[in-house]
Amino acid sequence: DTGVSQDPRHKITKRGQNVTFRCDPISEHNRLYWYRQTLGQGPEFLTYFQNEAQLEKSRLLSDRFSAERPKGSFSTLEIQRTEQGDSAMYLCASSLVTVEEQYFGPGTRLTVT
Amino acid sequence: AQTVTQSQPEMSVQEAETVTLSCTYDTSESNYYLFWYKQPPSRQMILVIRQEAYKQQNATENRFSVNFQKAAKSFSLKISDSQLGDTAMYFCAFQYTGTASKLTFGTGTRLQVTL
């Protein structure tokens, strides 16, 4: 399967714990995006990378959130000191610079108890 | 900042019938893309159709077509010959051209196709 993959698919954590999610984009795609989707809403942009450079961050991305893409391939999204309001589906997408379509992964569903 | 509005939270259509999903958006830009994405239950989001704002011709992909009215900032999706597999959440999305390539989504329309 050469699509976007995300790991884990589901994560349940207690409030105050740290969590980390991984995204593996389509191999030749140099842009990688993170979105957050809460129940009944459309995805909201969090941040995006072009190769290893983080080019834009949403104001939704508080200082408890950090994202990396160290070698321009996979990316990680870490949430520190999780809060119940962080419960959501975290979606990753990738694209080529020259093509605007973004291809989405299956998402990581986070539940903070 | 741009906004995308989908005013129909839920819709239902019988198999083989035609249904139209509405989307309006607000932007001061002239160069952008519009998309419809489909998110089936418990499955990942997939692209249905895209439209470049500079093109006057409406995009078509098999049973899916759009009605793009740039002046009215309207972008509706028509699904012809609806199939059970079309049951999903449908999201309208906006994207500036150039370097600011994030997608801005509407709140979605839940489409149920019935027998």
Side-chain angles (χ1 to χ4, degrees):
Chain A
D1 184 11
T2 57
V4 178
S5 62
Q6 292 187 245
D7 184 68
R9 296 290 303 276
H10 302 274
K11 178 71 177 179
I12 300 174
T13 191
K14 293 184 178 180
R15 189 176 53 189
Q17 298 295 304
N18 299 343
V19 294
T20 299
F21 310 140
R22 176 179 170 126
C23 171
D24 286 89
I26 294 171
S27 60
E28 66 270 23
H29 284 189
N30 40 23
R31 282 186 175 167
L32 186 148
Y33 313 80
W34 286 99
Y35 294 86
R36 182 171 69 187
Q37 185 179 19
T38 53
L39 203 60
Q41 299 296 317
E44 294 176 294
F45 171 77
L46 293 178
T47 188
Y48 97 94
F49 294 83
Q50 184 161 311
N51 300 312
E52 65 274 9
Q54 189 173 19
L55 295 187
E56 187 174 353
K57 292 193 293 185
S58 164
R59 58 183 169 78
L60 293 175
L61 213 66
S62 75
D63 56 5
R64 296 185 299 105
F65 288 70
S66 62
E68 294 182 343
R69 194 181 183 198
K71 295 183 180 179
S73 56
F74 72 92
S75 175
T76 58
L77 177 68
E78 181 184 17
I79 309 174
Q80 296 182 326
R81 305 182 303 282
T82 52
E83 302 172 356
Q84 287 188 320
D86 297 331
S87 294
M89 177 76 84
Y90 290 84
L91 298 170
C92 177
S94 69
S95 74
L96 286 168
V97 169
T98 54
V99 178
E100 297 299 337
E101 286 93 329
Q102 295 181 22
Y103 295 83
F104 283 80
T108 295
R109 182 169 296 283
L110 173 67
T111 302
V112 181
T113 62
Chain B
Q2 67 282 359
T3 58
V4 178
T5 301
Q6 294 180 250
S7 59
Q8 304 154 313
E10 293 186 4
M11 294 193 72
S12 180
V13 63
Q14 286 192 321
E15 199 177 21
E17 297 296 308
T18 296
V19 64
T20 299
L21 309 183
S22 300
C23 172
T24 58
Y25 60 94
D26 189 22
T27 183
S28 58
E29 297 290 328
S30 58
N31 296 318
Y32 50 87
Y33 298 101
L34 294 164
F35 301 88
W36 279 98
Y37 277 88
K38 168 185 176 181
Q39 190 175 40
S42 301
R43 294 180 59 190
Q44 65 202 73
M45 190 147 353
I46 57 175
L47 178 66
V48 175
I49 198 166
R50 72 175 252 179
Q51 174 79 42
E52 292 89 343
Y54 67 86
K55 289 186 177 179
Q56 292 187 336
Q57 186 173 7
N58 289 324
T60 299
E61 287 287 341
N62 301 313
R63 298 183 295 108
F64 299 88
S65 62
V66 299
N67 183 4
F68 173 48
Q69 301 290 328
K70 190 172 184 179
K73 296 180 182 174
S74 170
F75 182 61
S76 61
L77 174 70
K78 186 171 82 171
I79 306 174
S80 303
D81 186 26
S82 297
Q83 300 175 359
L84 294 177
D86 295 333
T87 294
M89 282 290 290
Y90 285 81
F91 292 98
C92 178
F94 175 101
Q95 183 185 51
Y96 288 121
T97 58
T99 58
S101 58
K102 64 186 177 186
L103 289 166
T104 299
F105 287 87
T107 52
T109 296
R110 183 177 302 280
L111 177 67
Q112 180 72 47
V113 181
T114 60
L115 291 170

